[in-house]
Amino acid sequence: MRPDDNASRGDGEERGPDSSVQRVIAVIVTATILLAAAVGYLHAPDQIGGHRSDTVFYESSAFIPRLALAVVAICALIHVARVVRGASLDAGEDLDDTGVDRRTVIGGMALFAAYALLVPVVGYLVGTFVFATATGCIVAVGWRTSIVCALMLSIVSVLVFVVALKVWFPPAAILKLVS
Amino acid sequence: MAELLSGLSAVLHWSVLASVLAGALLGIFVGVLPGIGPIVAISICLPFTYGMPPLAGLSLLLGIYCGAFYAGAITSILIRTPGEASSIMTMFDGSPMARRGEAERALSLAFSSAFVGGIVSAAFLALAAPQLARFTAKFGAAEMTCAGLLAAICVCRAYNGRFIEATLMLALGLFIGTIGIDPTSGERRFTFDTTGLMSGLPLVSVSIGMFGMTQGFLMLGMRPRPVDANAIANAGVRWHSFLEPFRHPRTLSRSVLIGLLIGVLPAVGAALSTSLSYFAARRASRNPESFGRGNPEGIIAAEAANNSNSGGAMVTVLTLGIPGDAITAVMMGVFLVHGVFPGPNLFAEKPDLVNGVFIALILINVTILAVLVLLVRYIAMLVRVDPRILGTGILVLCFVGAYSVANSFTNVWIALGFGVFGWFSAQSGLPAVPLVLGMVIGDLFETSLRQALSVSDGSFAIFVTRPMSAVMVVAAALLVFWPLLRVAYQRARGNPAASAVPDPLKEHPDG
């Protein structure tokens, strides 16, 4: 939390007005939360194994989940209405997204998903190297820098986590295929 | 004294000492790097503490917590970029002082004020926590329910103007915390017949996703900021400036007190305590117009308050089992994974652990100060690291951190899911911290509420007929309805326009 949401971050950059794209994202996300909460509230008893409708409310395991979902739905409805009416979308936390390229962020998310799929296939060392190199290329730090940083990152992370801290990774699936 | 000696003997073990040093170093690195908060590092390191003794794990995380607050002052002073949100006030006087050639004096003032705040905070924890634990040991289910409710409302109220959004995320966290097997009835809730969800969504994976991955993805999209190499080269300390804070005893003691009291309040956090302390020092000064132009009292006020938060925040964790902020919420994971339940019984069941925390906090502050004095010139160079490379490194750490929770790729996918959700939530103006707090507070709240209502046969009167819970209910109601009460009061005084709070930072002269 910041003492003043409008204070500069100290380097001359001010937070700009929320874009229309961001507003559309906000409406879609909040509406999705609203819908999910409403559906969850209505179907909560069905999703609780062994639930009995004749149980007193405070002994029911559906009490707190339904209460929480009701609060989520009401707050989401109010928030959607506010966003549509033009309220600020500053979350009031330390996440500084001034000037951040959204496409790169989404590309990073896709790459991470590919990383999670790749590691069981090729192993942690190779998977990390490929992920770090690919990420360096999409964020435009240059392919040489990407490869050098990726090499250092993958070797150091294997030494620290796999060797020193004994985090176990399964053998690469590709090795089983080859053998 | 005997208890503290037992704590000292618990700390004097190589695993704890190594954790103190590692935590201090990690915290300092995190604090210097703009854009990464201690919650990112703590979330990522949490799974690796599971194999450590509880005191060693806690020392590592506390070291990160404290180190980040110390080191945030370095970039605030040298390059006018706060390393942490709580270091913004340090920037207002630290940066002008550095620009007139006194960077070493500014850094020394910041470090020594922070040290005083940290040590007093640790002493406060050691003295106050046992007394408060004796008081909270008398709490029943009704009192614990109201304490959880009050903490939840404090969390939401702390987001000025974002009460609805914070409440939404807190309630969502409360719901997520109910996924899995109900501990009271044994019924499966929202598991969709999958064995992976029987034990619920792991807090570590959610924290890593919401904080670590979200930050990592954001940093991929950032451009490197130009850094003045000459400013970085001026990093250093001046020995006689270490005693300068003691020449302003009123400012120093007032600031430490503000930090301690704010630290006890859930979710309010260090940023507010530094603001309050800074403006209190300015109001009390004979020379208020010098604030913002390199007045040493501005640095002393900000840093002393900033670093006296940690002890206060740990008080509610140790005595009630209620976290004061997202950082302490994640730290509670260390307790829970070792089968240790924070709360009033902790002092009777695990006195060595509790006293060890007190001593470790003192040792952490000494270690951080020593590291900064010796290495500040090299630490300052970290600001040159490209945020895109740093973001890639953070994502790799998040991967292995989430995986190592249970050696399962499922947790990596859960963390990724919450990382994506965290970014979209931030775009939608929804804060992430209340969600994690809701997950942690929710368990205590639900168990206590159902117990209390079972005792009273469903009557809510139990919450107002018991004195302590009645006080907390009134406090919670005041917090919820405070804005309305304030407007009504000002209208009754015939001053409707005064409801707008003047922005003190706009009066602040640009140094």
Side-chain angles (χ1 to χ4, degrees):
Chain A
M1 286 159 281
R2 296 181 293 274
D4 177 3
D5 286 342
N6 294 324
S8 77
R9 303 296 274 184
D11 54 1
E13 288 188 38
E14 297 286 344
R15 299 183 72 84
D18 308 316
S19 67
S20 55
V21 172
Q22 187 177 359
R23 208 160 281 283
V24 168
I25 291 172
V27 169
I28 292 172
V29 169
T30 316
T32 306
I33 293 173
L34 168 60
L35 190 63
V39 169
Y41 179 88
L42 293 170
H43 292 279
D46 303 330
Q47 293 303 325
I48 296 174
H51 176 74
R52 288 169 43 195
S53 57
D54 58 347
T55 313
V56 287
F57 75 95
Y58 54 87
E59 288 180 359
S60 168
S61 51
F63 172 40
I64 293 297
R66 290 190 103 181
L67 176 65
L69 287 171
V71 172
V72 169
I74 293 168
C75 292
L77 189 61
I78 297 172
H79 185 56
V80 164
R82 282 186 180 176
V83 172
V84 167
R85 288 173 60 191
S88 164
L89 292 173
D90 178 13
E93 289 185 327
D94 301 340
L95 225 52
D96 181 9
D97 57 356
T98 312
V100 168
D101 180 14
R102 282 198 189 94
R103 284 173 300 181
T104 308
V105 170
I106 292 172
M109 291 173 185
L111 271 178
F112 192 94
Y115 180 29
L117 289 169
L118 195 61
V119 168
V121 176
V122 300
Y124 178 67
L125 176 65
V126 173
T128 302
F129 176 76
V130 170
F131 167 72
T133 307
T135 307
C137 292
I138 71 156
V139 300
V141 294
W143 64 269
R144 282 197 197 94
T145 307
S146 300
I147 289 175
V148 168
C149 290
L151 202 57
M152 285 170 50
L153 185 60
S154 46
I155 291 172
V156 168
S157 64
V158 164
L159 288 174
V160 171
F161 298 114
V162 178
V163 175
L165 293 176
K166 308 258 189 287
V167 177
W168 177 85
F169 283 95
I174 203 167
L175 290 178
K176 287 184 197 168
L177 283 175
V178 166
S179 62
Chain B
M1 181 57 94
E3 294 96 349
L4 292 177
L5 285 174
S6 79
L8 184 62
S9 68
V11 165
L12 291 177
H13 188 273
W14 73 267
S15 61
V16 179
L17 296 174
S19 299
V20 165
L21 181 61
L25 285 170
L26 273 171
I28 289 169
F29 291 157
V30 163
V32 161
L33 297 167
I36 306 178
I39 186 63
V40 172
I42 286 172
S43 298
I44 294 171
C45 288
L46 180 63
F48 303 111
T49 64
Y50 292 172
M52 298 178 180
L55 184 57
L58 274 171
S59 300
L60 176 71
L61 302 185
L62 280 170
I64 296 172
Y65 185 24
C66 297
F69 286 138
Y70 271 85
I74 296 175
T75 51
S76 287
I77 289 168
L78 295 179
I79 59 170
R80 205 175 155 72
T81 302
E84 302 301 322
S86 54
S87 306
I88 290 177
M89 308 316 292
T90 307
M91 180 183 75
F92 288 132
D93 282 282
S95 180
M97 195 180 276
R99 274 185 280 161
R100 66 175 185 234
E102 293 183 292
E104 290 177 348
R105 181 187 175 204
L107 286 170
S108 305
L109 276 168
F111 295 160
S112 57
S113 306
F115 181 74
V116 170
I119 293 295
V120 171
S121 157
F124 169 77
L125 180 65
L127 293 170
Q131 311 307 320
L132 191 56
R134 285 191 197 104
F135 175 67
T136 58
K138 298 173 190 164
F139 276 19
E143 285 80 11
M144 292 305 288
T145 305
C146 294
L149 179 66
L150 185 58
I153 292 174
C154 282
V155 167
C156 299
R157 264 283 160 244
Y159 286 85
N160 234 357
R162 297 257 146 221
F163 181 73
I164 295 294
E165 291 83 353
T167 305
L168 187 163
M169 293 299 270
L170 186 94
L172 188 58
L174 183 62
F175 169 72
I176 291 170
T178 63
I179 294 173
I181 295 178
D182 177 17
T184 306
S185 63
E187 291 166 358
R188 287 167 287 135
R189 297 190 287 195
F190 300 94
T191 59
F192 303 102
D193 294 326
T194 53
T195 49
L197 289 177
M198 289 292 181
S199 49
L201 290 173
L203 174 67
V204 174
S205 301
V206 173
S207 304
I208 287 176
M210 293 293 288
F211 301 122
M213 285 196 185
T214 303
Q215 188 64 60
F217 291 137
L218 265 180
M219 293 180 86
L220 292 183
M222 286 182 181
R223 289 282 165 204
R225 295 177 183 181
V227 172
D228 182 359
N230 290 333
I232 302 296
N234 290 333
V237 294
R238 191 187 292 179
W239 291 106
H240 57 266
S241 296
F242 273 94
L243 295 177
E244 195 173 342
F246 298 99
R247 286 190 229 146
H248 306 277
R250 280 193 195 153
T251 302
L252 187 62
S253 48
R254 184 196 313 118
S255 306
V256 169
L257 189 62
I258 289 173
L260 282 174
L261 294 175
I262 297 287
V264 174
L265 298 175
V268 179
L272 180 64
S273 69
T274 54
S275 308
L276 288 176
S277 174
Y278 183 88
F279 292 118
R282 192 169 81 168
R283 270 196 302 274
S285 172
R286 286 178 211 161
N287 210 6
E289 63 277 359
S290 65
F291 276 70
R293 294 195 170 96
N295 188 323
E297 286 186 271
I299 299 173
I300 294 167
E303 285 299 308
N306 193 11
N307 285 273
S308 57
N309 255 247
S310 51
M314 288 302 291
V315 165
T316 52
V317 172
L318 293 177
T319 60
L320 279 170
I322 293 176
D325 54 22
I327 295 172
T328 46
V330 175
M331 278 202 257
M332 276 180 66
V334 178
F335 286 106
L336 299 175
V337 81
H338 286 98
V340 176
F341 298 97
N345 296 332
L346 182 66
F347 289 73
E349 291 168 8
K350 301 274 181 184
D352 284 351
L353 176 61
V354 173
N355 294 312
V357 168
F358 303 155
I359 302 296
L361 213 41
I362 294 174
L363 192 58
I364 283 166
N365 278 276
V366 172
T367 306
I368 291 169
L369 185 66
V371 169
L372 285 172
V373 164
L374 293 172
L375 301 176
V376 63
R377 197 174 301 272
Y378 308 105
I379 291 167
M381 293 179 190
L382 286 171
V383 300
R384 291 180 175 171
V385 176
D386 191 324
R388 297 168 295 182
I389 295 173
L390 204 54
T392 307
I394 288 172
L395 289 172
V396 168
L397 289 175
C398 287
F399 181 97
V400 72
Y403 173 81
S404 65
V405 173
N407 281 0
S408 163
F409 289 105
T410 305
N411 289 327
V412 177
W413 290 105
I414 292 172
L416 175 60
F418 277 94
V420 172
F421 177 67
W423 185 74
F424 279 103
S425 298
Q427 294 290 296
S428 310
L430 301 174
V433 169
L435 186 142
V436 173
L437 279 168
M439 284 181 73
V440 178
I441 293 175
D443 193 42
L444 166 80
F445 178 73
E446 180 180 12
T447 307
S448 306
L449 177 64
R450 288 166 76 178
Q451 274 177 8
L453 290 175
S454 290
V455 165
S456 66
D457 290 327
S459 168
F460 284 89
I462 190 172
F463 300 113
V464 294
T465 52
R466 293 170 69 97
M468 263 320 299
S469 56
V471 167
M472 286 190 270
V473 166
V474 169
L478 277 174
L479 273 175
V480 171
F481 295 110
W482 176 248
L484 299 173
L485 291 172
R486 193 173 65 170
V487 168
Y489 173 71
Q490 283 165 346
R491 281 189 183 159
R493 286 184 64 187
N495 193 8
S499 59
V501 178
D503 182 0
L505 286 177
K506 287 193 179 151
E507 299 165 7
H508 170 81
D510 189 4

